Amino acid sequence: MTANSPFVSDVPAAEALAAWADARAAADCPARVNVVHVPVAAAVGRVTAEPVWARRSSPAFDSAGMDGIAVRAADTVGAAETTPVLLAPSDFEVVDTGDPLPLGYDAVVMREQVHRTEHGEAELRAAVPPYQHVRSIGEDISATELLLPEGHRLRPVDVAACAAAGVTELGVRRAPIVVIVPTGDEIRPIGTEPAPGEILDTNSLMLASQAREVGCDARVTDIVPDDPEAITAALRAAAVEADLVLLIAGSSAGRDDYTARVIAGAGSVAVHGVAVRPGHPVVLGTVTGEPATPVLGVPGYPVSAALTFDIFAAPLLAELEGAAPRERPFTTARLARKLPSAIGMDDWVRVRLGRVQDQVVATPLPRGAGVLTSLVRADGLLVVPAGLEGHHAGAEVRVELLRGLGEIGRTIVAIGSHDLLLDLVASELRAADPLITLASSNVGSLGGLVALRDGLCHLAGSHLLEPSTGEYTLPYVDRLLGADAEVAVVRLVHRDQGLIVAPGNPLGLTGVEDLTRPGLRYVNRQRGAGTRALLDHELNRRGIDATAVSGYSREEHTHLAVAAAVAADRADVGMGILAAARAFGLDFVPVAREPYDLVLRTSELPGELLAPLWALLEREDFRATVEALGGYSCAETGRRIR
């Protein structure tokens, strides 16, 4: 690799891992971290470095398994309800659970099955087999037996078993040390207020937490500016104390991207550029030293950084401990909407999950490498292999689980039009019951109704206007699902739609007719969105051709995204709801008041899953909170339109 080389190639992930392993072996990087001996109480989460043999049996003696009396089984032969056997006080002994079995006795009778006479005798009405309710010596663990193999990650139950077997100290692999080196002139420490163009160092926080989650000792250095010499010095210093160095950002081929050349200068680069998305510009290499140290050049976008850790760092760290990589459980799910993918790269996609009509449904989250919230909201991960162009809606896919299936079963899947109110509903439902999740996906009203038709959601949010009649939602329900479909429509709110403009409305916009002004920058909603349908209707009413609106083809998928574009001065105006304008401190020019409805299968109405939602919509305090957001009316909230 030359000093200024961009990506070597798009190496498949498996080949990249193998090339990195070869490079580590060639550089004499340690294959394992050192062995340390720790008390059993401090060993949970560590990996055994040697077999663990039992030093004593458990129990170490024959013991009583119940509270009762110890007897000789032979003395109870013939005992029955009609022919009870009486044992003199000298023929039994009272014992409690765990007591050593008295010499000469071979069984225990539970206290509840013993009838005592006035003379202190024990009357038994059933014969007792030998060793009834007796824990024999070594029943659990026998001295000298193999308790745990080498390479076993210790759990709470494991250390308890070790203690029972007389093992007080364990030889384990020490926690691997991961040193994280953030780089970039624009990066600022967490807790500071970044200026425009500056970025908080959230990647270091995330990667350190990921490292600790898999049992490592994570350390973060000071932020290093975009200076090759400074980065090289920081890398060499980190390598001295680390078992793995994570060098953040600068792994691409931009003007200030020095990671690959720095690693090459400090040691060697095995791979630069892996066929995964996100995470393509990853760098895998080593740093020369005594001993040499593996280094991972982590892309700067947070989703890429998180995925890079999962694919490359986690397996190496498990290998250093001599343990198998931790694997997530998986399930099969149906895709809630079409998922396109570029051929040539493994595409890792984060999804929300829910159970609809007895099958798990996966809704893809936004896929930008910088969309940190996709990490927060993800319930699972699916991989579109490099040879596929994606999947159609309804296709069955394999999903790695980030949440348990039990939790997913309490998830309400809402697909359709975006509204801020859905986030409020999700928060209120979770506050009332931590097991309830409302997972909403913004694909537009039309997309939501299609998803409902195909059995891919519980609720479809819709505010589609039929221009010829002025009616909302119902004509589209009949058209897409059939007039005889067993579908219910519940009114959520009425809301104000209008033009979102800069504070003070500096351009003096008064209505839709002003959108044709020369030089005006408009930002639209996506095809199938009810807001876009409303705009089209208003333009048609005025005889305005959509092509006369500059920016009509520029699309955003939520009201908040439209408001954000105006707030950042990337657009002058966009159509949206008043609550979104208020969220960004913007002004608003009303255009229409419209209903926003929830569409669902009639069979779901009385179900346990949606019952908390209907109860929430009836609460007066919730309705007051909604109306306080601005631009909402709850006069018909909860009413069944159909």
Side-chain angles (χ1 to χ4, degrees):
M1 169 174 176
T2 62
N4 295 311
S5 171
F7 308 128
V8 173
S9 61
D10 290 329
V11 182
E15 292 181 22
L17 284 166
W20 197 24
D22 291 343
R24 297 196 305 271
D28 287 331
C29 294
R32 297 283 188 273
V33 291
N34 299 337
V35 179
V36 294
H37 289 83
V38 299
V40 290
V44 172
R46 300 271 52 85
V47 175
T48 54
E50 55 197 25
V52 180
W53 305 92
R55 296 179 182 174
R56 63 189 291 271
S57 296
S58 178
F61 46 81
D62 288 348
S63 63
M66 293 285 181
D67 296 342
I69 60 172
V71 301
R72 288 178 286 269
D75 293 345
T76 70
V77 173
E81 286 290 335
T82 55
T83 57
V85 168
L86 291 176
L87 297 181
S90 60
D91 292 329
F92 65 88
E93 284 193 31
V94 176
V95 292
D96 293 324
T97 301
D99 285 348
L101 193 68
L103 189 65
Y105 295 96
D106 62 1
V108 172
V109 180
M110 294 172 58
R111 180 172 295 167
E112 299 91 319
Q113 296 174 351
V114 177
H115 305 276
R116 303 291 289 272
T117 69
E118 61 183 10
H119 303 296
E121 298 165 311
E123 180 184 275
L124 303 182
R125 297 181 181 179
V128 177
Y131 282 86
Q132 172 182 281
H133 301 318
V134 173
R135 294 193 67 205
S136 300
I137 182 171
E139 174 190 83
D140 186 7
I141 302 167
S142 295
T144 74
E145 79 168 289
L146 177 65
L147 194 59
L148 296 169
E150 180 179 346
H152 179 81
R153 193 173 296 278
L154 291 157
R155 304 163 297 172
V157 292
D158 298 322
V159 296
C162 289
V167 178
T168 59
E169 190 177 79
L170 291 168
V172 299
R173 299 287 174 183
R174 66 166 172 79
I177 298 171
V178 178
V179 177
I180 298 156
V181 183
T183 72
D185 293 337
E186 75 283 12
I187 305 301
R188 295 292 178 269
I190 292 174
T192 60
E193 188 62 37
E198 296 178 344
I199 302 170
L200 291 176
D201 183 24
T202 55
N203 279 343
S204 291
L205 174 64
M206 178 179 65
L207 291 168
S209 299
Q210 286 181 278
R212 294 183 185 113
E213 192 174 44
V214 296
C216 296
D217 176 0
R219 306 169 188 179
V220 180
T221 72
D222 292 336
I223 298 167
V224 184
D226 285 323
D227 179 320
E229 292 184 3
I231 296 172
T232 299
L235 175 59
R236 289 191 184 279
V240 171
E241 61 175 310
D243 299 300
L244 171 64
V245 178
L246 303 181
L247 188 58
I248 304 178
S251 62
S252 192
R255 181 179 55 191
D256 293 326
D257 292 331
Y258 302 115
T259 293
R261 75 176 73 171
V262 164
I263 294 174
S268 67
V269 170
V271 175
H272 185 191
V274 180
V276 296
R277 189 178 71 167
H280 171 228
V282 65
V283 184
L284 308 175
T286 60
V287 178
T288 303
E290 293 296 336
T293 305
V295 58
L296 173 57
V298 180
Y301 282 120
V303 179
S304 300
L307 181 61
T308 294
F309 187 94
D310 286 344
I311 297 176
F312 300 105
L316 170 59
L317 295 168
E319 182 182 328
L320 288 172
E321 292 186 277
R326 301 184 186 188
E327 292 188 1
R328 299 186 181 104
F330 68 90
T331 189
T332 299
R334 289 182 67 208
L335 273 178
R337 57 181 174 83
K338 184 179 180 180
L339 180 63
S341 179
I343 283 184
M345 289 193 178
D346 291 339
D347 196 359
W348 292 68
V349 182
R350 283 167 167 75
V351 296
R352 298 299 301 265
L353 297 173
R355 189 176 293 279
V356 181
Q357 298 181 6
D358 295 326
Q359 60 187 352
V360 178
V361 171
T363 305
L365 287 161
R367 294 160 69 184
V371 184
L372 188 57
T373 52
S374 71
L375 302 175
V376 176
R377 295 170 181 161
D379 301 319
L381 276 169
L382 72 85
V383 181
V384 182
L388 293 181
E389 290 185 287
H391 297 289
H392 293 292
E396 287 198 346
V397 293
R398 183 182 186 274
V399 178
E400 289 185 23
L401 293 172
L402 304 177
R403 273 205 308 156
L405 281 175
E407 297 176 77
I408 291 164
R410 297 290 305 279
T411 297
I412 301 169
V413 181
I415 297 179
S417 174
H418 171 253
D419 193 282
L420 278 67
L421 183 53
L422 294 178
D423 294 333
L424 177 61
V425 169
S427 177
E428 292 286 339
L429 290 175
R430 175 60 68 89
D433 184 346
L435 295 179
I436 296 179
T437 299
L438 173 68
S440 57
S441 179
N442 310 314
V443 298
S445 299
L446 198 61
L449 294 176
V450 170
L452 182 70
R453 179 197 67 190
D454 296 341
L456 299 174
C457 64
H458 300 110
L459 301 171
S462 176
H463 61 109
L464 283 170
L465 169 66
E466 174 57 57
S468 62
T469 64
E471 191 175 13
Y472 279 84
T473 303
L474 296 180
Y476 291 89
V477 170
D478 293 342
R479 193 176 305 158
L480 289 170
L481 285 82
D484 57 349
E486 296 184 353
V487 174
V489 180
V490 177
R491 179 64 37 82
L492 185 60
V493 286
H494 280 87
R495 62 185 193 175
D496 291 336
Q497 284 265 34
L499 303 181
I500 297 175
V501 298
N505 191 9
L507 299 181
L509 302 181
T510 60
V512 170
E513 58 276 4
D514 293 332
L515 298 182
T516 59
R517 285 188 190 176
L520 191 73
R521 299 170 299 166
Y522 184 75
V523 56
N524 206 356
R525 290 293 305 281
Q526 79 277 21
R527 292 179 183 273
T531 300
R532 181 160 171 158
L534 174 62
L535 172 67
D536 291 344
H537 171 64
E538 295 294 332
L539 291 174
N540 289 335
R541 281 203 312 121
R542 294 164 174 79
I544 300 173
D545 191 325
T547 60
V549 178
S550 177
Y552 180 87
S553 60
R554 176 184 172 187
E555 299 179 350
E556 294 289 355
H557 281 70
T558 67
H559 295 280
L560 288 176
V562 169
V566 175
D569 196 28
R570 293 185 290 108
D572 298 314
V573 59
M575 181 82 83
I577 58 176
L578 175 59
R582 284 192 173 182
F584 281 84
L586 301 171
D587 271 357
F588 184 80
V589 179
V591 171
R593 170 157 283 203
E594 63 173 15
Y596 181 97
D597 299 322
L598 300 176
V599 187
L600 64 154
R601 297 282 177 182
T602 306
S603 58
E604 298 279 6
L605 269 173
E608 180 183 351
L609 180 66
L610 296 182
L613 171 61
W614 309 138
L616 176 65
L617 298 187
E618 293 299 320
R619 280 173 34 192
E620 289 301 325
D621 62 325
F622 172 74
R623 295 185 180 192
T625 301
V626 171
E627 294 191 344
L629 293 174
Y632 289 113
S633 168
C634 293
E636 291 191 313
T637 295
R639 184 168 80 85
R640 296 185 185 179
I641 306 304
R642 172 178 290 183

